[in-house]
């Protein structure tokens, strides 16, 4: 069934009126194939295009091929692209006001929180405090991962502390992963432990895991 799903999805992407590039397709197909997406694959490909275009209309120079991974999460969630993009924009403005410039990836991840921009942003600040142990800003490499753990159930501050703890542990392993890969692994583990079975974070959790793995394969093959 998995193989057939991949074959059918690739065929739908190939027949799309605006076919996307191979690398962008590779980012989207795995999550779509393994998700219980509503509707047929033709609808899924159309909604993927809509999600990516909605973000692109807001920030053309910041929306890239890697965001097809996030668009696949939106499709798996049944997210309405036209309603989601303004939420992501609102979060981006809040992050910019706090001096976190151009954090579009983090804003999109936070926009999947069902309680809206204000709650998602507040949880992000709490996760940052837990990660840094105070009001310090986190390094840019950790900001997507902090957005992810801010989606976990329970205390976002505890989730941020757990991210820092797991990251330190992973960086002590041999062979040592890169900082980027260690953070992605730690963030995925934190969200997994903070997600109830069948919780709304399910598709975000697996989508980010596939995204992080794909990016590691492309950019950091030694990991």
């Amino acid at each position: 069934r998995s193989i057939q799903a991949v074959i059918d999805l690739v065929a739908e992407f190939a027949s799309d009126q605006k076919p996307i590039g191979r690398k962008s397709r590779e980012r989207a197909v795995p999550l779509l194939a393994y998700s219980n997406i509503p509707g047929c694959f033709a609808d899924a490909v159309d909604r993927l295009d809509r999600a990516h275009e909605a973000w692109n209309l807001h920030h053309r120079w910041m929306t890239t091929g890697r965001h097809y991974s996030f668009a696949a999460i939106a499709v798996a969630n049944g997210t309405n692209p036209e309603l989601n993009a303004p939420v992501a924009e609102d979060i981006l403005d809040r992050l910019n006001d706090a001096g976190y410039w151009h954090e579009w990836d983090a804003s999109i991840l936070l926009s999947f929180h069902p309680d809206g921009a204000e709650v998602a942003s507040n949880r992000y600040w709490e996760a940052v405090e837990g990660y840094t142990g105070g009001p310090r800003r986190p390094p840019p490499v950790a900001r997507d991962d902090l957005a992810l753990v801010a989606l976990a159930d329970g205390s976002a501050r505890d989730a941020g502390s757990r991210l820092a703890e797991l990251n330190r542990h992973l960086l002590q392993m041999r062979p040592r992963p890169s900082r980027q890969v260690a953070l992605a692994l730690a963030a995925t583990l934190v969200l997994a432990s903070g997600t109830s079975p069948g919780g709304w974070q399910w598709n975000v959790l697996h989508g980010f895991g596939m995204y992080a793995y794909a990016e590691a394969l492309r950019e950091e093959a030694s990991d």
Side-chain angles (χ1 to χ4, degrees), residues 53-100:
E53 181 61 21
W55 295 326
N56 194 42
L57 287 173
H58 281 263
H59 287 286
R60 188 169 301 277
W61 63 278
M62 282 196 290
T63 305
T64 66
R66 71 178 180 275
H67 291 107
Y68 281 106
S69 293
F70 294 174
I73 295 172
V75 172
N77 277 345
T79 301
N80 183 313
E82 287 74 24
L83 296 179
N84 169 265
V87 175
E89 172 77 2
D90 188 353
I91 294 171
L92 180 71
D93 289 342
R94 294 168 188 265
L95 296 184
N96 283 342
D97 290 343
Y100 292 73

Side-chain angles (χ1 to χ4, degrees), residues 100-101 103 106 124 137-146 179 183:
Y100 292 73
W101 298 103
E103 291 297 332
Y124 182 77
R137 291 179 186 171
V141 70
R143 292 178 184 176
D144 290 2
D145 308 286
L146 283 162
R179 191 179 185 191
L183 278 164

Side-chain angles (χ1 to χ4, degrees), residues 129-201:
E129 288 182 4
Y131 181 81
T132 62
R136 292 184 296 113
R137 291 179 186 171
V141 70
R143 292 178 184 176
D144 290 2
D145 308 286
L146 283 162
L148 191 77
V149 302
L151 302 180
D153 294 331
S155 167
R157 189 171 284 102
D158 289 347
S161 298
R162 183 64 174 155
L163 175 65
E165 177 186 349
L166 280 175
N167 183 56
R168 286 193 296 269
H169 176 72
L170 289 167
L171 289 176
Q172 293 170 358
M173 297 177 67
R174 294 294 182 271
R176 178 178 174 176
S178 70
R179 191 179 185 191
Q180 181 178 359
V181 170
L183 278 164
L185 288 170
T188 304
L189 290 170
V190 171
L191 184 57
S193 65
T195 299
S196 58
W200 63 267
Q201 305 98 326

